């Protein structure tokens, strides 16, 4: 991959995850400022995850059959800006849920297509994926820290303006990304349903579903959780960014890490660390140092997990199935897992409390670890 393509893809990741950082970290606080309940907030944010179940598969299928995913990415990025701008037209609950649903349907389809293009551009050097993806982490860090600082000094009503600006950045770089490169591996002509029926593919999808479901309470309620315990919005931004800062170094050195630790051990280890991390958050909020350590572990529970998962997906879905494979993975793991985790967290947050809700997340991550450990021979042979 030449430097121009590296810069173009890196720019897309930068603004995409800057948006994710601002939205995931503070949108729940924006909804709370409008006096919505915990269940309403979790439902509103879970709508975004529901769209991630539906839209990636649809747009991935369209992109693969049109053979020009970059055109689809550009259309989706522009449409997401226009649709999300609907938040400026009203702040009633059903209106905001409808706007989020429509914008997420088009927004959620672009990342899997870009992931497929990135993996294709790397041409067999998928261990270098982290060096491109780290720019998404940089965008996330800058967004959560700067937006957190701003929201300590300006009214929460300015958050939608900030989010839309970041979406405009996504659209700008959507027009810069390089063309897709198809690499026709030995499985490229095989029907995709044959791939999906493999035991190792089913195991991968189910385990990753568990991991994303385990993160549900974190992504929806972590900021509210910290505010309720006296943390400032600036400190929340710092805490969100801590793990991502470490994640940047993990992405940089991932090829070297792979020379020392096998991919399957990194993958399984991320589930074990997630179990410990969510227990620390559940019962350690009164000790800031413990929360700092828990957030640093995000580099493993998301960073290492994500790179390993993307590598496995790329190995399974090759040639003409690249976009569909990435889309199905996003739909069935990040989409479905995030939806279930978020809705369950919203339903339980007030009845059983934050500690038990985060503990349930830890239990879900532990279930994923047990599934992988008892079937580790399947993961190791891929």
């Amino acid at each position: 991959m030449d430097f121009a393509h590296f810069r173009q893809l890196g720019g897309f990741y930068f603004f995409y995850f800057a948006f994710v950082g601002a939205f995931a970290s503070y949108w729940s606080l924006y909804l709370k400022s409008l006096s919505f309940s915990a269940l309403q907030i979790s439902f509103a944010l879970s709508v975004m995850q529901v769209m991630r179940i539906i839209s990636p598969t649809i747009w991935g299928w369209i992109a693969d059959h049109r053979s020009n995913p970059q055109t689809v990415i550009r259309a989706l990025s522009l449409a997401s800006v226009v649709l999300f701008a609907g938040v400026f037209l009203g702040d009633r609950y059903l209106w905001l849920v409808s706007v989020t649903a429509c914008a997420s349907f088009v927004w959620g389809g672009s990342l899997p297509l870009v992931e497929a293009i990135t993996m294709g551009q790397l041409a067999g050097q998928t261990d270098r994926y982290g060096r491109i993806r780290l720019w998404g982490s940089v965008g996330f860090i800058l967004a959560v820290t700067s937006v957190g600082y701003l929201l300590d000094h300006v009214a929460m009503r300015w958050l939608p303006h900030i989010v839309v600006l970041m979406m405009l950045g996504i659209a700008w770089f959507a027009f810069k990304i390089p063309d897709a490169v198809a690499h026709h591996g030995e499985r490229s002509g095989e029907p995709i349903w044959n791939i999906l029926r493999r035991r190792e593919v089913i195991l991968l999808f189910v385990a990753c579903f568990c991991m994303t479901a385990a993160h549900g309470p974190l992504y929806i309620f972590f900021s509210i959780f910290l505010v309720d315990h006296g943390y400032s919005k600036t400190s929340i931004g710092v805490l969100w960014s801590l793990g991502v800062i470490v994640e940047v170094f993990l992405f940089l050195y991932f090829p070297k890490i792979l020379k020392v630790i096998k991919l399957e051990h990194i993958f399984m280890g991320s589930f074990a660390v997630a179990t410990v991390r969510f227990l620390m958050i559940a019962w350690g909020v009164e000790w800031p140092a413990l929360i700092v350590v828990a957030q640093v572990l995000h580099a493993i529970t998301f960073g290492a997990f994500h790179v390993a998962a993307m590598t496995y997906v790329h190995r399974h879905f090759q040639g003409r199935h690249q976009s569909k494979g990435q889309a199905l993975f996003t739909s069935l793991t990040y989409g479905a897992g995030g939806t279930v985790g978020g809705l369950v967290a919203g339903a339980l947050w007030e009845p059983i409390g934050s500690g038990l809700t985060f503990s349930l997340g830890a239990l879900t991550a532990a279930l994923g670890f047990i599934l992988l450990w008892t079937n580790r021979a399947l993961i190791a042979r891929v």
Side-chain angles (χ1 to χ4, degrees):
M1 179 187 295
D2 61 34
F3 179 74
H5 291 169
F6 183 96
R7 177 172 51 83
Q8 292 155 357
L9 289 166
F12 182 92
Y13 283 117
F14 179 93
F15 279 101
Y16 188 95
F17 286 97
F19 164 79
V20 170
F23 190 91
S25 305
Y26 302 110
W27 199 252
S28 60
L29 294 177
Y30 174 70
L31 296 177
K32 188 178 182 182
S33 73
L34 299 175
S35 301
F36 299 137
S37 68
L39 186 57
Q40 285 178 311
I41 292 170
S42 69
F43 179 80
L45 294 180
S46 294
V47 163
M48 186 176 186
Q49 297 296 340
V50 170
M51 292 300 108
R52 293 182 75 183
I53 300 174
I54 303 169
S55 70
T57 301
I58 294 173
W59 298 119
W61 183 88
I62 291 172
D64 272 342
H65 283 267
R66 288 179 59 87
S67 300
N68 57 345
Q70 60 274 30
T71 302
V72 178
I73 293 166
R74 291 161 188 164
L76 295 177
S77 299
L78 284 176
S80 64
V81 176
V82 174
L83 290 170
F84 193 82
V87 298
F88 300 123
L89 301 179
D91 59 8
R92 297 180 68 86
Y93 182 73
L94 289 179
W95 174 252
L96 289 177
V97 170
S98 300
V99 167
T100 303
C102 293
S104 298
F105 178 76
V106 294
W107 171 80
S110 60
L111 183 62
L113 303 182
V114 173
E115 296 275 36
I117 289 174
T118 301
M119 287 296 192
Q121 287 284 337
L122 287 171
Q125 296 178 304
T126 54
D127 57 338
R128 297 178 59 203
Y129 165 81
R131 299 198 174 189
I132 301 174
R133 175 57 180 78
L134 71 84
W135 287 105
S137 300
V138 173
F140 185 98
I141 292 165
L142 292 178
V144 295
T145 52
S146 61
V147 173
Y149 177 81
L150 282 172
L151 293 178
D152 270 334
H153 296 86
V154 302
M156 187 62 70
R157 63 185 175 84
W158 287 102
L159 181 62
H161 298 78
I162 297 169
V163 169
V164 168
L165 284 175
M166 292 173 179
M167 296 187 84
L168 285 170
I170 297 173
W172 172 265
F173 275 98
F175 282 83
K176 304 288 184 180
I177 59 173
D179 294 340
V181 177
H183 296 289
H184 298 284
E186 57 181 293
R187 299 175 180 171
S188 63
E190 184 177 7
I192 194 168
W193 300 114
N194 289 355
I195 300 173
L196 290 170
R197 285 198 296 265
R198 293 196 188 109
R199 287 181 60 202
E200 56 267 32
V201 174
I202 295 171
L203 174 64
L204 173 68
F205 278 40
V206 173
C208 291
F209 174 94
C210 290
M211 182 65 110
T212 54
H215 280 73
L218 180 83
Y219 289 140
I220 291 181
F221 289 114
F222 188 58
S223 295
I224 293 174
F225 181 57
L226 294 179
V227 166
D228 289 346
H229 286 83
Y231 291 75
S232 69
K233 295 182 183 68
T234 300
S235 64
I236 291 171
V238 171
L239 284 168
W240 272 109
S241 66
L242 269 176
V244 187
I245 291 172
V246 182
E247 183 179 280
V248 169
F249 289 97
L250 183 142
F251 285 147
L252 277 172
Y253 293 102
F254 198 79
K256 293 183 179 179
I257 295 172
L258 275 177
K259 294 179 180 178
V260 180
I261 308 174
K262 293 181 178 179
L263 184 67
E264 61 266 26
H265 294 158
I266 294 172
F267 191 49
M268 287 188 290
S270 68
F271 286 78
V273 172
T275 304
V276 175
R277 180 192 180 196
F278 294 135
L279 288 175
M280 292 171 69
I281 293 173
W283 307 109
V285 69
E286 302 296 338
W287 295 276
L290 202 59
I291 298 299
V292 167
V293 174
Q295 283 304 95
V296 168
L297 294 179
H298 180 79
I300 299 174
T301 68
F302 177 78
F305 161 78
H306 181 72
V307 176
M310 286 297 100
T311 302
Y312 281 124
V313 171
H314 183 68
R315 290 178 182 178
H316 286 301
F317 298 92
Q318 299 180 12
R320 64 188 177 92
H321 296 317
Q322 287 180 1
S323 294
K324 288 193 291 288
Q326 291 287 350
L328 283 167
F329 177 78
T330 299
S331 296
L332 299 176
T333 60
Y334 285 108
T339 300
V340 172
L343 289 175
V344 171
L348 298 179
W349 189 259
E350 291 175 347
I352 71 173
S354 56
L356 290 177
T357 303
F358 276 114
S359 296
L360 182 61
L363 181 63
T364 308
L367 176 61
F369 173 79
I370 292 169
L371 285 171
L372 290 173
W373 179 258
T374 54
N375 295 278
R376 56 191 180 276
L378 286 177
I379 294 293
R381 76 186 188 192
V382 177

